[in-house]
Amino acid sequence: MGIIKVENIRVYAHHGCLKEETVIGSNYRVDVAVSANLDKSSKTDDLKDTVDYVTLNSIVVDEMGVPCKLLETVAQRIIARFLNECAEVDWASVSVSKLNPPIGGDVEKVTVMLEEKRSY
């Protein structure tokens, strides 16, 4: 087994409970990790034998482009796509951070982290 991480994916998106957040948008950071059996790919040096991190990034960008109120919702959608579209993935973790959230204080970011294991 091994873990593939794609970290600090920067996206401008329109999530939030306040109307202004969905209209104006905000900066987000997404970090993902997936586990998969990397034994074969480490020997064959062939992309078809592993989880393509270009695909992982593409899924994140696609799902972040669909507005929703809660970070939990978008994080769960990303995990569901990883498990549905990447047969090699056994476990996925997704952290979605809203940078400079409008919560009335000097806060760098708020983060929601979800993880899920494939059920067989």
Side-chain angles (χ1 to χ4, degrees), residues 29-87:
R29 172 186 169 162
V30 181
D31 297 293
V32 302
V34 297
S35 73
N37 186 336
L38 303 179
D39 291 341
K40 185 174 182 182
S41 61
S42 66
K43 293 178 178 99
T44 65
D45 196 30
D46 194 330
L47 184 59
K48 72 175 177 49
D49 295 328
T50 192
V51 179
D52 187 349
Y53 47 80
V54 172
T55 299
L56 299 177
N57 184 68
S58 178
I59 289 170
V60 168
V61 171
D62 285 351
E63 292 303 326
M64 289 298 290
V66 179
C68 59
K69 292 179 183 174
L70 300 178
L71 299 180
E72 294 90 325
T73 303
V74 70
Q76 184 56 51
R77 288 195 323 237
I78 293 167
I79 287 176
R81 285 198 52 198
F82 286 172
L83 295 174
N84 288 332
E85 297 178 26
C86 304

Side-chain angles (χ1 to χ4, degrees), residues 91-115:
W91 164 89
S93 171
V94 176
S95 295
V96 180
S97 300
K98 179 181 281 192
L99 307 179
N100 302 308
I103 60 174
D106 186 10
V107 177
E108 179 182 351
K109 63 183 175 179
V110 294
T111 302
V112 169
M113 181 180 167
L114 297 178
E115 61 181 64

